[in-house]
Amino acid sequence: MSVPRLAAGLAVAGVGLWYLAAVFVPGEGAAAPPAAFTSSAQCRECHATVYAEWERSQHAYSWNNPATRFLSNDFANHDCIDCHASRPVFVTGIGERVLPREERRVEGVDCISCHELPDGGMAGTIADPRAACRPVERIELVRPEFCAGCHNQHKTVDQWRESAWPARGMDCLACHMPFRGGDPNAGRDHTFLGGNDLAMLRRAVTLAGRREGETWVAEIENVGAGHAFPTDERSRTADLFWRPLPAAGAEPGPWRFLHRIRDPYRTETDLPITLLYSGERRPLPIADPEARGAIEVALFYKRSPYWEDPSAPDPEREAILVHRIRLEP
Amino acid sequence: MKPLPPFAVLPLLLAALAACGDEVPPAPAPAPFPLRAVVDAELAALDRALAAEEGPARGEPADVEQVHGLLEMLASATGAMREIARQEASGLGDPAVSELARVLADPDAKLAIRVSAVEVLGAIDTPRAAAVLLARMEDPEPLVRAHAAWRLGQGAQGWVVPGLVLRLKYEKDHETVVWIAGALARFGNFAGLGGLETVAATAPGEAVRASAGARIAEILAATSFPDLAALAAEWRRGDPGRRLPAPPSSPRTDREVWRLLSRLREFQLRGVDDARWVVSALDRRAAELTARALHDSEVKTRVHAAQCLERMGPRASVAVDELLAGLAEPFLAPHAADALGAIGDPRAAAPLAALLDPPAGYGLRLAAIRALGRLDADVPGAARDRLRSLFAASETPEVRQAAAESLVRLGEGGDEAVLALADLLVSRAVEPVSSEAVLREHLARRAEAGDEAARGALAEWDARALATDRILAPGEAEASRAARREIVRKLVGGGE
């Protein structure tokens, strides 16, 4: 190669590199991106608010949750791993069932699970080439199909599709990832509130009662969930109990079981599916002769279907009280 | 002169770079791992091959009255009369199967008649009759299920093994478990030994425990093994000494396996888990077919097929070559590494050692580090050195943990690696369960070698193990792990 030709080549290459640097390299304020994302903790530096929200969420807890560990036999039940420590959704495909990952399982469903792209880049709802992770805009992030790979394993997304909620423009994010303070400019909340939040539980269903002759009829209605109540994991259980109201000053007796709302495990072939679907109202007569006077009825929610002593459950200690009503003649 | 627009510089830049560059030989491409629709093609071929056999029932339709008469006689007669009825019934053949199936499915039919129908179907012993019996393994009546399992075990339809294994997963009736396990053993599948042992030891009711004990005695006598543990170990090792009865192999059995493998791509994990559970409990032939499924164009099939092979362990040694090739397929590779570790074949050592560093992806590197620890004496010295340096470098807590676990398993890490694992028990940055297992193995190994202090530590360790029969209270797991960390630290001299 001749020296002039080499010099010309180098000169043109220099100009070209200057051009590329000016156009594509972020200016001051943008940190260098990591070579590879090996932990969601890497996201914390720039996204402290989101990270703190996620850290409190069930997604962050999906691997270490004691109930999950117990119910999955410490993940010896392999089919739980796919969703509880999934590969990135963008890698396995939107709407496709997710696959399990080898690494950072302890972080559960983390930033990388939802935001990492097949090329190792990051997806966001807004593109920002000046941010360290250079997010590109991927609108799929806000669509129900994005959640479906995991959350339709127990038909939650199908339940939503069959409800009146899509027609109202209410999707997964509307309830579970609302804008912070209702302000679209503030970004979406990443605590993913659901059955773990008492206020949401209370909004999901109403509990009422009426008299039919001598019999009380409790009535539960799914008014606020765009899917069944409860939904998703089969372990989630809502139980209705009743008991006679004691005379003034007396201690109330033990709660008496009335009705269970749940999708049984596949091995519980002798149990019916009793989920309360979106918009469904379910009357529950209380035929016990002791229920003819004043009674109270309560709805309890649990993340496990098991009571410590099935013959004498103690819902006030073992479950979350969602609603409680007094019915007096 | 008009200045050039910025984009015009690009072609010049490229031209200049091209002019300057000398030719660089391209990097060698990794060995291709061909993908194709394996499962669909295999299933279609077997369906075609078996279609002729599975046409409509041959012969005249059975005389319904004759069938019912024989069922009544079987249900009520004894001695020679009953034997005559049984022989006549077995001659009914396939034409009677549909009527017998109808009787069995009739919830209003007397139980004794339904059980007789099971007996007749067992005596007919054709694929069609066996398919009806297999379907009745979901009958609500336990007696029907137990009899169906027994009759299937007496027959010659070895292709029912996968179906029986699936029923083991869901069966709650102890007597039925006993007969399923017995039937499987007759077909050379020993997946039911654990259930049999549990029933024999813990089932309520002396009769069912005795029944399980009798089946165990039969199985041990038939296989010439001294005890269930030795038999189970031989089964898990893949019967290297060929001491077990050869499982039946036939196109029909293969088709059952392919049907299971076709479920691995389903969206709902329920079906996937069933299929994975069954395939993992099958024999070497199933491992061979599963190894072929590693080439399926559907990624879920590939990944879950590798998981099946991992769970088979050494019984899947026939799949080692395909798994090694699968290390080149990005989606499959970490799962192939897991499977190679579980199989424990020495051929995997060098290929896994080559994956300890980038450009192997992070997940694949972790899987390779962990897998090497399971290969025991076969790991080359250079790989052991690299594991030590990965442990020392602390690239991430996960890499350090994986390296420490492998070093302890290989007897290489000394007290430093043992202490590191003990400390990681209380770290929130890693999953502690694998470290717990490795530490317990370490204590047990030392105790077995006569180390009295380790024996004591092991007893303490087990006393502080996590409860597995209930949901742990908040902080309970952490407290248990903190206590066990101290047990280990005290033993190896790192404690206060």
Side-chain angles (χ1 to χ4, degrees), chain B residues 96-178:
Chain B
V97 168
S98 56
E99 181 57 20
L100 291 164
R102 200 194 60 71
V103 170
L104 260 177
D106 179 4
D108 296 328
K110 285 191 288 188
L111 183 58
I113 295 291
R114 297 179 70 218
V115 171
S116 294
V118 169
E119 183 179 354
V120 174
L121 284 162
I124 291 173
D125 195 19
T126 60
R128 199 182 301 273
V132 173
L133 289 179
L134 201 53
R136 291 329 297 179
M137 290 303 301
E138 294 184 49
D139 196 283
E141 172 55 51
L143 192 67
V144 170
R145 300 201 298 274
H147 269 263
W150 174 38
R151 295 295 178 186
L152 284 169
Q154 299 296 307
Q157 307 299 318
W159 61 271
V160 299
V161 164
L164 287 173
V165 171
L166 179 60
R167 293 318 310 161
L168 261 189
K169 186 178 180 195
Y170 293 105
E171 185 56 63
K172 292 176 184 166
D173 175 58
H174 292 120
E175 189 68 46
T176 308
V177 168
V178 168

Side-chain angles (χ1 to χ4, degrees), chain B residues 343-428:
Chain B
I343 293 169
D345 190 292
R347 286 173 289 167
L352 288 170
L355 297 170
L356 296 180
D357 294 289
Y362 184 64
L364 175 55
R365 290 177 60 213
L366 282 170
I369 295 169
R370 292 179 185 131
L372 278 172
R374 303 176 77 176
L375 295 186
D376 201 22
D378 307 310
V379 177
R384 291 169 189 257
D385 290 343
R386 184 64 189 123
L387 286 174
R388 270 191 287 271
S389 61
L390 284 167
F391 169 60
S394 300
E395 174 189 335
T396 66
E398 271 183 315
V399 170
R400 182 171 165 80
Q401 179 196 38
E405 286 176 0
S406 286
L407 287 170
V408 171
R409 277 196 158 132
L410 295 168
E412 292 277 352
D415 288 348
E416 198 188 345
V418 173
L419 281 171
L421 288 184
D423 287 341
L424 285 167
L425 290 182
V426 295
S427 165
R428 290 169 58 94

Side-chain angles (χ1 to χ4, degrees), chain A residues 1 12-13 19 63 69-70 77 79 82 87 91 96-97 102-104 106 148 152-153 155 266-267, chain B residues 6 13 19-20 170 172 264 266-269 272-273 276 300 304 331 335 338 398 431 433 470:
Chain A
M1 185 186 297
V12 176
Y19 165 84
W63 187 260
R69 303 300 296 231
F70 171 69
N77 186 357
D79 73 349
D82 299 48
R87 288 195 191 194
V91 171
E96 292 285 332
R97 193 238 299 158
E102 290 282 331
E103 65 276 21
R104 62 174 211 294
V106 74
N152 216 25
Q153 285 301 321
K155 311 282 178 108
R266 67 191 81 162
T267 50
Chain B
L13 170 68
C20 296
Y170 293 105
K172 292 176 184 166
L264 297 179
E266 288 179 3
F267 179 84
Q268 298 292 340
L269 282 158
V272 177
D273 200 45
R276 187 168 39 198
K300 299 183 197 72
H304 297 314
F331 262 98
H335 305 283
D338 287 341
E398 271 183 315
E431 159 64 38
V433 169
R470 58 180 170 79

Side-chain angles (χ1 to χ4, degrees), chain A residues 205-242:
Chain A
V205 289
T206 57
L207 179 63
R210 62 173 189 277
R211 194 87 167 165
E212 284 186 4
E214 289 291 293
T215 304
W216 286 113
V217 178
E219 193 164 82
I220 184 165
E221 183 174 1
N222 181 341
V223 294
H227 44 67
F229 174 84
T231 192
D232 224 302
E233 296 292 348
R234 291 159 188 261
S235 55
R236 293 172 191 171
T237 305
D239 282 332
L240 283 144
F241 285 84
W242 71 275

Side-chain angles (χ1 to χ4, degrees), chain A:
Chain A
M1 185 186 297
S2 69
V3 172
R5 195 175 169 201
L6 176 64
L10 286 173
V12 176
V15 172
L17 286 172
W18 164 82
Y19 165 84
L20 288 171
V23 172
F24 292 109
V25 176
E28 287 173 26
F37 290 95
T38 55
S39 166
S40 285
Q42 292 165 290
C43 311
R44 178 166 40 191
E45 192 180 336
C46 300
H47 303 279
T49 304
V50 174
Y51 189 88
E53 289 168 350
W54 167 79
E55 227 177 0
R56 296 195 303 273
S57 76
Q58 292 298 307
H59 276 165
Y61 210 34
S62 69
W63 187 260
N64 286 330
N65 187 331
T68 307
R69 303 300 296 231
F70 171 69
L71 295 166
S72 67
N73 192 15
D74 247 347
F75 288 104
N77 186 357
H78 280 211
D79 73 349
C80 305
I81 300 175
D82 299 48
C83 291
H84 285 258
S86 62
R87 288 195 191 194
V89 174
F90 279 109
V91 171
T92 43
I94 313 296
E96 292 285 332
R97 193 238 299 158
V98 290
L99 286 166
R101 65 173 187 261
E102 290 282 331
E103 65 276 21
R104 62 174 211 294
R105 286 182 172 175
V106 74
E107 293 184 16
V109 180
D110 64 349
C111 312
I112 298 170
S113 303
C114 292
H115 291 278
E116 191 174 68
L117 292 164
D119 64 1
M122 285 290 150
T125 47
I126 300 169
D128 186 356
R130 297 181 67 82
C133 60
R134 323 261 195 276
V136 296
E137 184 181 327
R138 292 296 296 265
I139 195 68
E140 301 98 309
L141 273 168
V142 305
R143 293 189 175 140
E145 289 74 21
F146 196 85
C147 315
C150 291
H151 290 282
N152 216 25
Q153 285 301 321
H154 303 285
K155 311 282 178 108
T156 302
V157 178
D158 286 350
Q159 290 162 2
W160 168 80
R161 285 193 184 108
E162 286 160 19
S163 78
W165 289 60
R168 291 186 224 156
M170 297 288 282
D171 58 15
C172 310
L173 271 57
C175 295
H176 300 289
M177 281 190 84
F179 292 115
R180 293 188 191 93
D183 175 9
N185 294 318
R188 290 192 180 271
D189 185 296
H190 279 64
T191 45
F192 304 101
L193 293 180
N196 54 323
D197 179 61
L198 184 57
M200 281 196 92
L201 284 172
R202 287 186 170 150
R203 284 199 299 274
V205 289
T206 57
L207 179 63
R210 62 173 189 277
R211 194 87 167 165
E212 284 186 4
E214 289 291 293
T215 304
W216 286 113
V217 178
E219 193 164 82
I220 184 165
E221 183 174 1
N222 181 341
V223 294
H227 44 67
F229 174 84
T231 192
D232 224 302
E233 296 292 348
R234 291 159 188 261
S235 55
R236 293 172 191 171
T237 305
D239 282 332
L240 283 144
F241 285 84
W242 71 275
R243 65 185 175 189
L245 273 173
E251 282 294 310
W255 287 103
R256 303 173 192 205
F257 177 75
L258 174 61
H259 180 68
R260 167 158 280 196
I261 309 172
R262 189 186 155 224
D263 185 6
Y265 290 125
R266 67 191 81 162
T267 50
E268 295 172 317
T269 48
D270 48 340
L271 297 179
I273 298 171
T274 54
L275 293 174
L276 188 71
Y277 293 99
S278 185
E280 182 183 350
R281 182 187 302 164
R282 186 173 299 166
L284 299 159
I286 306 170
D288 192 310
E290 288 187 58
R292 289 188 181 153
I295 63 169
E296 58 180 339
V297 182
L299 173 70
F300 293 92
Y301 177 82
K302 281 172 101 250
R303 289 183 157 270
S304 152
Y306 308 120
W307 297 103
E308 285 175 20
D309 178 358
S311 64
D314 184 356
E316 290 189 67
R317 185 174 60 79
E318 299 177 57
I320 298 163
L321 175 64
V322 181
H323 290 302
R324 179 185 209 150
I325 56 170
R326 293 163 66 97
L327 300 175
E328 294 174 271

